[in-house]
Short mmCIF file of all heavy atoms in Angstrom, two decimals:
data_model
loop_
_atom_site.label_atom_id
_atom_site.label_comp_id
_atom_site.label_asym_id
_atom_site.label_seq_id
_atom_site.Cartn_x
_atom_site.Cartn_y
_atom_site.Cartn_z
N TRP A 15 111.45 137.57 113.98
CA TRP A 15 110.59 137.33 115.15
C TRP A 15 110.39 138.60 115.97
O TRP A 15 109.37 138.74 116.65
CB TRP A 15 111.18 136.23 116.02
CG TRP A 15 111.25 134.90 115.34
CD1 TRP A 15 112.39 134.18 115.07
CD2 TRP A 15 110.16 134.14 114.82
NE1 TRP A 15 112.07 133.02 114.42
CE2 TRP A 15 110.71 132.96 114.25
CE3 TRP A 15 108.77 134.33 114.77
CZ2 TRP A 15 109.91 131.99 113.66
CZ3 TRP A 15 107.98 133.36 114.18
CH2 TRP A 15 108.55 132.21 113.63
N ASN A 30 111.19 113.65 95.89
CA ASN A 30 111.10 112.64 94.82
C ASN A 30 109.77 112.71 94.08
O ASN A 30 109.14 111.69 93.79
CB ASN A 30 111.33 111.24 95.40
CG ASN A 30 112.69 111.10 96.04
OD1 ASN A 30 113.70 111.46 95.45
ND2 ASN A 30 112.72 110.61 97.28
N ASP A 32 107.17 114.09 90.83
CA ASP A 32 107.18 114.23 89.38
C ASP A 32 106.27 115.41 89.01
O ASP A 32 105.04 115.30 89.05
CB ASP A 32 106.69 112.95 88.72
CG ASP A 32 106.70 113.05 87.18
OD1 ASP A 32 107.14 114.10 86.66
OD2 ASP A 32 106.25 112.09 86.53
N SER A 37 99.14 119.84 84.34
CA SER A 37 98.18 119.57 85.41
C SER A 37 97.05 118.69 84.89
O SER A 37 96.52 118.91 83.79
CB SER A 37 97.60 120.87 85.97
OG SER A 37 98.57 121.56 86.72
N ASN A 44 90.12 121.15 90.82
CA ASN A 44 90.31 121.62 92.20
C ASN A 44 90.61 123.12 92.23
O ASN A 44 90.12 123.84 93.11
CB ASN A 44 91.46 120.86 92.86
CG ASN A 44 91.12 119.42 93.17
OD1 ASN A 44 89.95 119.03 93.19
ND2 ASN A 44 92.14 118.60 93.44
N GLU A 53 85.47 133.18 97.36
CA GLU A 53 84.48 134.24 97.55
C GLU A 53 84.12 134.41 99.03
O GLU A 53 83.70 135.50 99.45
CB GLU A 53 83.21 133.92 96.75
CG GLU A 53 83.41 133.89 95.25
CD GLU A 53 83.49 135.27 94.62
OE1 GLU A 53 83.26 136.26 95.34
OE2 GLU A 53 83.79 135.36 93.41
N GLY A 57 83.67 139.23 101.72
CA GLY A 57 82.36 139.73 102.13
C GLY A 57 82.28 141.22 102.39
O GLY A 57 81.19 141.81 102.38
N ASN A 64 88.50 143.32 104.00
CA ASN A 64 88.31 141.89 104.24
C ASN A 64 89.40 141.41 105.19
O ASN A 64 90.59 141.70 104.97
CB ASN A 64 88.38 141.12 102.92
CG ASN A 64 87.15 141.35 102.06
OD1 ASN A 64 86.06 140.92 102.41
ND2 ASN A 64 87.32 142.07 100.95
N PRO A 65 89.06 140.70 106.28
CA PRO A 65 90.05 140.33 107.30
C PRO A 65 91.30 139.63 106.76
O PRO A 65 92.40 139.91 107.21
CB PRO A 65 89.25 139.41 108.23
CG PRO A 65 87.84 139.89 108.12
CD PRO A 65 87.69 140.30 106.68
N ASN A 89 96.96 139.29 96.34
CA ASN A 89 97.05 139.31 94.89
C ASN A 89 96.11 138.28 94.26
O ASN A 89 95.47 138.55 93.23
CB ASN A 89 98.49 139.07 94.44
CG ASN A 89 99.40 140.25 94.76
OD1 ASN A 89 98.95 141.39 94.77
ND2 ASN A 89 100.66 139.98 95.02
N GLY A 97 86.80 139.00 89.05
CA GLY A 97 86.24 138.02 88.13
C GLY A 97 87.25 137.38 87.21
O GLY A 97 86.89 136.79 86.19
N ILE A 103 99.17 126.75 85.99
CA ILE A 103 100.57 127.02 85.64
C ILE A 103 101.34 125.70 85.51
O ILE A 103 101.83 125.36 84.44
CB ILE A 103 101.23 127.93 86.70
CG1 ILE A 103 100.51 129.30 86.70
CG2 ILE A 103 102.72 128.10 86.41
CD1 ILE A 103 100.99 130.25 87.76
N LEU A 106 102.40 121.58 90.74
CA LEU A 106 102.72 122.04 92.09
C LEU A 106 102.17 123.43 92.37
O LEU A 106 101.59 123.68 93.43
CB LEU A 106 104.24 122.05 92.31
CG LEU A 106 104.87 120.86 93.01
CD1 LEU A 106 106.37 121.09 93.17
CD2 LEU A 106 104.22 120.61 94.37
N SER A 114 95.83 127.95 98.88
CA SER A 114 95.81 129.36 99.27
C SER A 114 94.41 129.94 99.16
O SER A 114 93.91 130.60 100.07
CB SER A 114 96.80 130.15 98.40
OG SER A 114 96.92 131.48 98.85
N LEU A 119 95.12 131.84 102.97
CA LEU A 119 96.47 132.02 103.51
C LEU A 119 97.47 132.07 102.36
O LEU A 119 97.29 131.40 101.35
CB LEU A 119 96.85 130.85 104.43
CG LEU A 119 96.07 130.72 105.74
CD1 LEU A 119 96.34 129.35 106.38
CD2 LEU A 119 96.44 131.85 106.71
N GLY A 122 103.21 129.13 98.87
CA GLY A 122 104.19 129.23 97.80
C GLY A 122 105.08 128.02 97.78
O GLY A 122 104.91 127.08 98.56
N GLY A 123 106.06 128.05 96.88
CA GLY A 123 106.96 126.91 96.78
C GLY A 123 108.23 127.24 96.01
O GLY A 123 108.23 128.13 95.15
N ILE A 126 114.08 123.02 96.14
CA ILE A 126 115.12 122.88 97.16
C ILE A 126 116.51 122.74 96.53
O ILE A 126 117.50 123.28 97.04
CB ILE A 126 114.83 121.67 98.07
CG1 ILE A 126 113.60 121.93 98.94
CG2 ILE A 126 116.04 121.36 98.97
CD1 ILE A 126 113.17 120.73 99.77
N GLY A 131 123.19 127.13 99.86
CA GLY A 131 123.29 127.16 101.32
C GLY A 131 121.91 127.15 101.96
O GLY A 131 120.94 126.65 101.39
N LEU A 135 114.59 133.37 106.38
CA LEU A 135 113.56 134.41 106.37
C LEU A 135 114.02 135.47 107.36
O LEU A 135 114.12 135.21 108.56
CB LEU A 135 112.21 133.84 106.77
CG LEU A 135 111.04 134.84 106.85
CD1 LEU A 135 110.81 135.55 105.52
CD2 LEU A 135 109.77 134.14 107.31
N ASP A 150 113.26 140.73 82.98
CA ASP A 150 114.52 140.57 82.27
C ASP A 150 115.68 141.23 82.99
O ASP A 150 116.85 140.96 82.69
CB ASP A 150 114.42 141.18 80.86
CG ASP A 150 113.41 140.44 79.99
OD1 ASP A 150 113.36 139.20 80.08
OD2 ASP A 150 112.69 141.12 79.23
N ILE A 160 111.72 142.43 104.52
CA ILE A 160 111.62 141.03 104.90
C ILE A 160 111.65 140.18 103.64
O ILE A 160 110.84 140.37 102.73
CB ILE A 160 110.32 140.77 105.69
CG1 ILE A 160 110.36 141.48 107.04
CG2 ILE A 160 110.09 139.26 105.88
CD1 ILE A 160 111.41 140.97 108.01
N TRP A 175 105.61 138.28 98.45
CA TRP A 175 105.09 139.06 97.33
C TRP A 175 105.48 138.49 95.98
O TRP A 175 104.63 138.16 95.16
CB TRP A 175 105.57 140.51 97.46
CG TRP A 175 105.34 141.37 96.26
CD1 TRP A 175 104.15 141.61 95.64
CD2 TRP A 175 106.33 142.14 95.55
NE1 TRP A 175 104.33 142.48 94.57
CE2 TRP A 175 105.66 142.82 94.50
CE3 TRP A 175 107.71 142.32 95.71
CZ2 TRP A 175 106.33 143.66 93.61
CZ3 TRP A 175 108.36 143.15 94.82
CH2 TRP A 175 107.68 143.82 93.79
N LYS A 188 112.34 118.09 91.48
CA LYS A 188 112.18 116.78 92.12
C LYS A 188 111.95 116.89 93.63
O LYS A 188 111.34 116.00 94.24
CB LYS A 188 113.44 115.92 91.87
CG LYS A 188 113.70 115.62 90.40
CD LYS A 188 112.56 114.85 89.77
CE LYS A 188 112.84 114.52 88.31
NZ LYS A 188 111.65 113.91 87.65
N LEU A 192 107.56 123.68 100.11
CA LEU A 192 106.25 124.31 100.03
C LEU A 192 105.93 124.97 101.36
O LEU A 192 106.22 124.40 102.42
CB LEU A 192 105.18 123.27 99.67
CG LEU A 192 105.46 122.43 98.41
CD1 LEU A 192 104.40 121.36 98.23
CD2 LEU A 192 105.56 123.32 97.18
N ILE A 193 105.32 126.15 101.31
CA ILE A 193 105.20 126.96 102.52
C ILE A 193 103.85 127.66 102.58
O ILE A 193 103.31 128.12 101.57
CB ILE A 193 106.36 127.97 102.57
CG1 ILE A 193 106.37 128.74 103.88
CG2 ILE A 193 106.35 128.91 101.37
CD1 ILE A 193 107.69 129.44 104.15
N GLU A 214 98.98 116.20 101.53
CA GLU A 214 98.13 115.12 101.01
C GLU A 214 97.99 115.22 99.48
O GLU A 214 98.14 114.22 98.77
CB GLU A 214 96.75 115.21 101.65
CG GLU A 214 95.73 114.22 101.13
CD GLU A 214 94.33 114.52 101.67
OE1 GLU A 214 94.22 114.88 102.86
OE2 GLU A 214 93.37 114.40 100.89
N GLU A 232 109.43 129.49 118.78
CA GLU A 232 110.04 128.50 119.67
C GLU A 232 110.76 127.40 118.90
O GLU A 232 111.59 126.68 119.45
CB GLU A 232 108.95 127.86 120.56
CG GLU A 232 108.34 128.81 121.59
CD GLU A 232 107.44 129.88 120.97
OE1 GLU A 232 106.76 129.57 119.96
OE2 GLU A 232 107.43 131.03 121.48
#
Side-chain angles (χ1 to χ4, degrees):
W15 297 118
N30 300 310
D32 181 3
S37 288
N44 289 343
E53 296 283 353
N64 288 292
N89 290 329
I103 297 175
L106 263 182
S114 187
L119 293 168
I126 291 174
L135 178 58
D150 295 321
I160 293 294
W175 169 55
K188 298 299 181 187
L192 306 175
I193 186 163
E214 176 189 321
E232 292 71 34

